Amino acid sequence: EFTDAERGRELKRWQQRLGIVADSRLADVESWIGSQMAVMRDLAENGSLQLYLSVLSEGGAGADTAEATYLRNLLTVVAQREKFAPEIAPAAVSANVETVGVAGIALLNGEGRVIVASPSMPLIEGRLAAFVAEADRSQNAVSDIFAGPSGAPVVAFLAPIFDVQADVTTDPPIGRVLGVKLASPELYARLKQPGSVDATAEALLVQRDGATVTYLSPQADGTEPLARRLAEDTPELAASFALKSPGGFARKRDYGDTEVLVTSRAIAGVPWVLMYKVDVAEALAESESRIKQIGIAFLMIIGLVLIGMAALWYYGTSHRATE
């Protein structure tokens, strides 16, 4: 009973320890999401952008007008400054030539058609088109993490744009600003806990896709983000527990079938869940060694007591026999 109680206390200590780190990583991830949405909102509330987009959305202005040129330059500068553009931007080409972009910023009209975009903006198709179509036109939105045109994981952000004199509570938006950003390295770097001394500790982003669990971030065994999918009903799977019980703590098995201690946190505004885990072999090695030593010491004490009791019994029976 004593050793079982010691194991319980050790698990509680690890629950608190993992919880502190998970909360720290959660705050960093949510801060990153918030800062990207702030960029979208700043653009959406730019008076010049609102005015020029209203003019262009009417259909009477072409792609080579002063308004379009101003907006394109604005988006290009913001995309480069806020790292919505890849490190190597595609070369400038004629406006009527489609290029395969990786990440960028675009302005959409009320029907979701691109009015103007930064040079590196990908085409709105596939998962990106579905995100734009399904998002509420009057609300901010953040997509899940999905593979962009280059195969690299990206995240999309949407913010509504209202007319300069519009009442945002009643009037419909005149368009939306759409930002597409590479998840690496900014987002994934925030999963690393500064100063961590646990060799097997790992923070991961996971998401439910139908009956499977998708690992959205790189794994310690070298697996690339979005490359690993496991059935959600895999017995004792740590990621399944993380999705089903955000905020919970348990002893489960990870993607490599290694026994781990795991906790998780739901991320506000997105379908991802952050899970933080550490191998049981590393986490409990020291405590198990101490508990075993205590157990051996107790057994020795019990043995000595039994020997003493046997000696007393023998002495008592001998004494009575002698009498």
Side-chain angles (χ1 to χ4, degrees), residues 14-191:
W14 272 100
Q15 179 178 357
Q16 294 172 351
R17 182 171 174 174
L18 294 184
I20 290 171
V21 177
D23 288 338
S24 171
R25 296 307 89 218
L26 173 67
D28 263 12
V29 170
E30 290 185 340
S31 173
W32 182 83
I33 295 172
S35 63
Q36 312 317 309
M37 283 306 311
V39 174
M40 299 296 102
R41 288 195 300 271
D42 287 346
L43 282 170
E45 294 168 4
N46 183 299
S48 298
L49 183 148
Q50 292 171 322
L51 179 61
Y52 291 163
L53 179 63
S54 179
V55 172
L56 293 173
S57 297
E58 293 174 357
D64 296 326
T65 62
E67 293 86 352
T69 300
Y70 170 83
L71 292 177
R72 188 177 298 110
N73 290 338
L74 174 63
L75 297 185
T76 301
V77 169
V78 173
Q80 292 175 349
R81 184 186 67 214
E82 302 296 339
K83 299 182 180 179
F84 273 83
E87 292 184 1
I88 302 177
V93 296
S94 175
N96 60 355
V97 176
E98 291 187 343
T99 61
V100 178
V102 176
I105 303 176
L107 298 181
L108 315 178
N109 64 8
E111 290 73 42
R113 182 174 60 86
V114 176
I115 299 299
V116 66
S118 63
S120 57
M121 181 67 188
L123 297 176
I124 300 181
E125 57 188 11
R127 293 282 291 272
L128 184 58
F131 166 64
V132 173
E134 294 169 4
D136 189 329
R137 289 178 54 197
S138 301
Q139 301 294 326
N140 298 327
V142 183
S143 74
D144 55 5
I145 300 175
F146 60 94
S150 66
V154 297
V155 188
F157 304 87
L158 268 174
I161 304 172
F162 295 90
D163 193 84
V164 177
Q165 303 296 330
D167 182 350
V168 298
T169 60
T170 57
D171 295 336
I174 59 173
R176 288 180 285 178
V177 55
L178 170 66
V180 179
K181 193 166 196 177
L182 292 168
S184 180
E186 284 188 11
L187 175 58
Y188 295 150
R190 291 174 178 259
L191 298 176

Side-chain angles (χ1 to χ4, degrees), residues 299-316:
L299 289 174
M300 291 176 66
I301 292 171
I302 292 171
L304 290 173
V305 170
L306 291 175
I307 291 172
M309 291 174 64
L312 288 172
W313 171 82
Y314 178 77
Y315 173 77

